[in-house]
Amino acid sequence: MLPFISKKNNKSILSLDDIKLPSHVGIIMDGNGRWAKKRGLPRSAGHSAGANNFRTITRYCNKIGIKYLTVYAFSTENWKRPEDEVGALMKLFKSYLQEAIADFKDENIVVKFIGDRNAFSPELQSLIDENEKLSADRTGMVLNIAMNYGSRDEIVRAVKNIAVDVKDGCLTIDDINEKVISDNMYTAGQPDPDLVIRPSGEYRISNFLLWQSAYTEYIIMDVLWPDFNTGMLDDALIEFARRNRRFGGV
Ligand code: FPP
């Protein structure tokens, strides 16, 4: 079922109660299209199923105590998809953002968006703003939804912002360090992701959190996103806990 997860020592760790959870988890929600194709359905049906699963997994992450969850919902490159598929995704985002305003209140989830929101319709942009504004004072998990997000685009934006600060005299070239760069990313103030999970079996980073994931542990799972479930997430978290992170040290 999960051929890319090592089974070594897994028996010695039985449940989430026994392990230290990562504080920041990223998920590349991949495989919706293949899930639909396998069932003879249009790709948009795969995205609907993916959106439902996203609701389940988000709530579960908050419940078990993950502090930050970043999900890749739409990349800067996804605009290249057929118009009807992009349209179906925009519809899904709209209905999800409408319901998230009320739904995440009880769950105490802080909703943030990373990516260039200017490309979205005014209606979607207002929903994005409203979600962020209404959830800002909550104290639960921070959910970063990456929409029209591309890591290279984010880095270009950060470089431009820093260049403006240097030009305006707020910063000197010698002041530029890793913290200044991190502070100019969409994820400013948040810890780097400890773990990124990629369902669908693809061994690619796909322009996701390139700067932030310098020392992130990756887990690739052979399951399509709509079929990814909470048990599989537990397996990934247990596998993560087994890993020996050295951050370049010994
Ligand atoms: C990648 O699978 C998935 C996407 C590009 C869209 C992800 C979006 C959702 C899960 C919708 C939910 C999001 C929100 C915020 C409501 P793919 O289409 O590339 O799959 P394939 O590789 O099998 O073709």
Side-chain angles (χ1 to χ4, degrees):
M1 188 62 166
L2 307 170
F4 305 113
I5 286 199
S6 158
K7 291 280 179 272
K8 199 172 82 176
N9 291 341
N10 247 2
K11 280 204 176 74
S12 61
I13 302 171
L14 298 173
S15 81
L16 294 189
D17 297 334
D18 303 320
I19 62 165
K20 186 173 174 330
L21 290 174
S23 31
H24 188 166
V25 175
I27 303 183
I28 300 178
M29 303 186 289
D30 194 16
N32 296 343
R34 276 163 284 170
W35 184 92
K37 197 172 168 203
K38 266 171 62 179
R39 287 161 179 78
L41 297 168
R43 291 177 59 83
S44 57
H47 294 313
S48 295
N52 286 336
N53 199 34
F54 164 63
R55 289 170 172 91
T56 307
I57 297 295
T58 302
R59 287 189 168 81
Y60 183 70
C61 285
N62 185 40
K63 189 177 126 205
I64 62 175
I66 301 294
K67 301 281 178 246
Y68 297 86
L69 174 68
T70 301
V71 292
Y72 208 2
F74 194 82
S75 77
T76 42
E77 288 72 37
N78 286 154
W79 297 105
K80 291 184 225 156
R81 294 187 175 208
E83 213 178 305
D84 60 333
E85 183 173 344
V86 172
L89 278 165
M90 294 302 136
K91 260 192 176 164
L92 272 178
F93 295 151
K94 185 178 147 195
S95 65
Y96 173 77
L97 295 183
Q98 280 165 336
E99 82 184 43
I101 291 174
D103 266 29
F104 285 160
K105 193 163 163 239
D106 294 339
E107 316 238 0
N108 202 19
I109 294 178
V110 181
V111 188
K112 290 182 187 276
F113 293 85
I114 63 171
D116 180 3
R117 60 189 69 183
N118 295 319
F120 294 118
S121 69
E123 191 183 14
L124 210 47
Q125 287 186 48
S126 319
L127 282 167
I128 288 174
D129 293 344
E130 206 177 340
N131 265 282
E132 284 189 333
K133 211 168 119 214
L134 293 173
S135 70
D137 294 331
R138 296 182 194 154
T139 53
M141 181 179 81
V142 174
L143 169 66
N144 295 314
I145 305 180
M147 274 173 53
N148 193 26
Y149 174 86
S151 201
R152 287 185 166 186
D153 185 61
E154 177 183 36
I155 292 168
V156 169
R157 177 182 167 272
V159 170
K160 283 184 178 165
N161 288 342
I162 293 167
V164 169
D165 283 348
V166 171
K167 189 168 160 239
D168 292 349
C170 315
L171 205 67
T172 68
I173 288 180
D174 284 342
D175 289 334
I176 299 171
N177 56 26
E178 292 188 10
K179 180 167 186 318
V180 169
I181 296 177
S182 292
D183 288 347
N184 279 280
M185 294 288 158
Y186 289 118
T187 48
Q190 302 185 11
D192 287 338
D194 302 292
L195 167 66
V196 168
I197 300 169
R198 180 164 195 155
S200 95
E202 305 285 2
Y203 285 81
R204 278 194 288 277
I205 295 179
S206 299
N207 207 7
F208 186 55
L209 303 176
L210 299 181
W211 171 264
Q212 297 89 334
S213 61
Y215 283 101
T216 295
E217 296 294 325
Y218 253 77
I219 292 184
I220 312 293
M221 299 174 87
D222 192 16
V223 57
L224 303 172
W225 170 249
D227 291 330
F228 179 87
N229 61 34
T230 56
M232 294 171 191
L233 179 63
D234 289 354
D235 285 346
L237 296 171
I238 290 167
E239 164 70 11
F240 167 80
R242 273 197 339 98
R243 297 217 181 148
N244 178 15
R245 300 180 79 194
R246 292 189 295 279
F247 299 92
V250 285

